[in-house]
Amino acid sequence: MFDFNKNKNREKTFFSKFASGFSLVEVVIASSILLLVGLSLVGTLGQSTVLSLRALRATQGSFLLEEGGEAVKSIRDSSWSSFSALSTSTTYYLAFSTSTKAWSATTTNPGVVLGSFSRSFSVASVARDSNSDIVSSGGTIDTGTRQATITVSWPLGNGTTVTKTLVMYLSNIF
């Protein structure tokens, strides 16, 4: 006859060698692995936060650049003679008057915009050739067209500065 209790005791003896517990070395190795995984996750989270902030700043810079272009167009629309009289050798800054609800060009630097952004613009004369095409040199000065260059810059955080530029041609359309 077959004794079932005898086999059960043998199974306990066989598995009891492996189920007696973890050794100190195994605990240290498991803790090290968990620590490395945890540190990797924290590092990834930190890096993703930095990249998200950079993306936010780039988006804000693009919006300020676009707003600057619209502001320069607004200055042109309010008075072409005032806009065309702006000096080509001067850096201008944009100022919005809440009382008149209008943009204006000023030579006084207002400092940073939205915390850490700097925005300015300059104008240049436009020359055209005999076919009325815009040329970079030579040609005849077109008094009805000016080139505006809007610049927005901000610190990246690691000692470098990011600069975005928008160049546009504005004509006397009125």
Side-chain angles (χ1 to χ4, degrees), residues 19-107:
S20 62
F22 293 105
S23 70
L24 183 60
V25 173
E26 291 170 328
V27 170
V28 168
I29 290 173
S31 298
S32 299
I33 290 171
L34 288 175
L35 180 66
L36 288 175
V37 168
L39 288 176
S40 323
L41 290 174
V42 169
T44 302
L45 179 64
Q47 188 64 23
S48 67
T49 303
V50 168
L51 292 176
S52 294
L53 181 61
R54 284 185 186 174
L56 172 67
R57 294 306 223 178
T59 303
Q60 289 173 330
S62 295
F63 285 151
L64 285 171
L65 192 62
E66 185 178 343
E67 180 188 51
E70 294 298 323
V72 170
K73 286 183 201 177
S74 174
I75 294 169
R76 180 238 10 222
D77 293 348
S78 66
S79 172
W80 174 257
S81 58
S82 297
F83 180 73
S84 63
L86 295 175
S87 172
T88 58
S89 61
T90 305
T91 299
Y92 294 98
Y93 303 94
L94 295 168
F96 185 76
S97 170
T98 55
S99 60
T100 62
K101 300 200 181 348
W103 288 97
S104 62
T106 178
T107 56

Side-chain angles (χ1 to χ4, degrees), residues 57-58 60-65 91 93 109 111-121 150-157 160-166:
R57 294 306 223 178
Q60 289 173 330
S62 295
F63 285 151
L64 285 171
L65 192 62
T91 299
Y93 303 94
N109 187 349
V112 295
V113 181
L114 276 177
S116 61
F117 292 90
S118 174
R119 179 172 58 188
S120 62
F121 78 97
I150 301 100
T151 304
V152 174
S153 60
W154 65 93
L156 190 57
T160 60
T161 300
V162 176
T163 302
K164 287 190 175 192
T165 304
L166 173 65

Side-chain angles (χ1 to χ4, degrees), residues 132-156:
S132 293
D133 293 329
I134 295 174
V135 292
S136 58
S137 62
T140 306
I141 298 295
D142 180 3
T143 57
T145 306
R146 298 294 291 255
Q147 179 186 30
T149 304
I150 301 100
T151 304
V152 174
S153 60
W154 65 93
L156 190 57

Side-chain angles (χ1 to χ4, degrees), residues 5-21:
N5 291 332
K6 186 177 180 185
N7 286 335
K8 286 183 182 177
N9 290 337
R10 193 177 329 164
E11 285 180 14
K12 285 183 180 179
T13 307
F14 178 75
F15 287 114
S16 64
K17 292 179 184 177
F18 298 106
S20 62

